[in-house]
Amino acid sequence: IEPISEKLRNSINQEIEDQEKNGTMKIPTKYKDFMKTQVSFACAREGVMLKKVENSILYCYLPAKDASWGFDFLLNTDMIPTGPRNDIEYDLEINKEIANIAGKKFFDWIVGLCKSKQYRVDSIFTLIPDLEASAVRISSVVISEVPAG
C-alpha cells in the first residue's frame, strides 16, 4: 500500500468536481479524497519454478482485456479503466502516478522473490520485462512512468 501525494489528491478532487459540473465522469467519485493505492503482481508457479503468464493483461480489479502490455505476469492496480473496462484512461494523472508506483513495487516484488529463497533465481529473472519492447504496446505517457519507479 502506497500513499498518494496531497498534490495529486487535490488534483483528483478538482477533476471530480469539474466532471460533476460538466456531466462527464472519467474518474469515479469513489476516488474523492483518495489516500493510498495498492498494486500487486502474480505469475504461474510450478514447484520452485516461476512461470510466465501467457497473454497476460492488466487488471483494475476486473480485467482490462485490451490492456496487454507485453508483461509476462499479472498486474492488478487501482488504475482507472475506460468506460467499457477494456483498457485504462491513459491521460489521467492518477494512472501515471500508479504506473510509477507499480514500477517501484515491481522491483520490491522481484527482490522479495529472491530473498524468499523459495524459487530458482533464473525463473525469477524471466519475469523481468523488456520495457523497450513493452513500450510499443503501452502509451508512452504511462510507460515512461514505470521505469521511473
Side-chain angles (χ1 to χ4, degrees), residues 57-80:
I57 57 173
L58 173 69
Y59 282 72
C60 303
Y61 293 103
L62 294 172
K65 64 181 181 199
D66 294 336
S68 174
W69 290 1
F71 296 158
D72 293 320
F73 52 85
L74 301 177
L75 171 60
N76 190 11
T77 73
D78 289 322
M79 287 186 189
I80 297 171

Side-chain angles (χ1 to χ4, degrees), residues 14-125:
Q14 184 61 55
E15 180 67 27
I16 290 171
E17 288 174 22
D18 292 346
Q19 289 177 162
E20 288 173 340
K21 288 176 189 170
N22 65 26
T24 61
M25 293 302 294
K26 235 181 202 184
I27 302 176
T29 55
K30 71 179 184 177
Y31 283 87
K32 188 152 179 95
D33 297 322
F34 195 57
M35 300 292 283
K36 56 190 171 191
T37 190
Q38 185 170 348
V39 295
S40 58
F41 306 89
C43 64
R45 188 175 98 187
E46 191 174 290
V48 297
M49 296 294 290
L50 297 180
K51 302 282 187 176
K52 296 177 178 184
V53 175
E54 297 297 323
N55 304 312
S56 64
I57 57 173
L58 173 69
Y59 282 72
C60 303
Y61 293 103
L62 294 172
K65 64 181 181 199
D66 294 336
S68 174
W69 290 1
F71 296 158
D72 293 320
F73 52 85
L74 301 177
L75 171 60
N76 190 11
T77 73
D78 289 322
M79 287 186 189
I80 297 171
T82 58
R85 298 196 60 85
N86 59 348
D87 209 338
I88 65 161
E89 293 286 357
Y90 287 99
D91 61 335
L92 296 178
E93 287 300 316
I94 186 171
N95 285 349
K96 295 174 192 176
E97 178 72 15
I98 293 172
N100 188 336
I101 290 168
K104 293 174 187 171
K105 289 299 177 184
F106 177 76
F107 176 78
D108 293 345
W109 181 53
I110 294 295
V111 169
L113 291 171
C114 290
K115 285 183 176 180
S116 76
K117 299 182 180 178
Q118 295 179 19
Y119 310 104
R120 285 195 33 186
V121 173
D122 59 332
S123 73
I124 295 170
F125 290 144

